[in-house]
Amino acid sequence: VLKSLRRGIGFAVALAALYGLLYVLLRSEDHALLMGALLVFTCLAAAMVASTPGQRMEAGVWMLPPS
């Protein structure tokens, strides 16, 4: 499905990290709200960065490529 061993290993590592994070989140009752909010923020930030292919990082500032 992923057509590459490297992609398969990357997907497996990401899935294992997500499972581990959710396990820690469910086991930690005292900090569950904070960790859940950080997880949602991180996922949202990653989705925003991944969905802006026309932008690039240049000198620490997001800029549009020259026309």
Side-chain angles (χ1 to χ4, degrees):
V1 172
L2 298 175
K3 299 180 182 178
S4 163
L5 180 63
R6 186 175 181 176
R7 286 184 183 178
I9 291 173
F11 184 73
V13 167
L15 198 58
L18 178 63
Y19 181 78
L21 182 63
L22 289 174
Y23 176 78
V24 170
L25 181 67
L26 290 173
R27 297 289 294 170
S28 174
E29 296 175 8
D30 296 333
H31 296 53
L33 181 62
L34 174 63
M35 291 190 330
L38 290 174
L39 176 65
V40 169
F41 175 75
T42 304
C43 290
L44 180 62
M48 289 176 66
V49 168
S51 66
T52 55
Q55 296 179 347
R56 64 179 177 205
M57 186 63 137
E58 197 172 275
V61 179
W62 284 102
M63 299 178 67
L64 292 174
S67 300

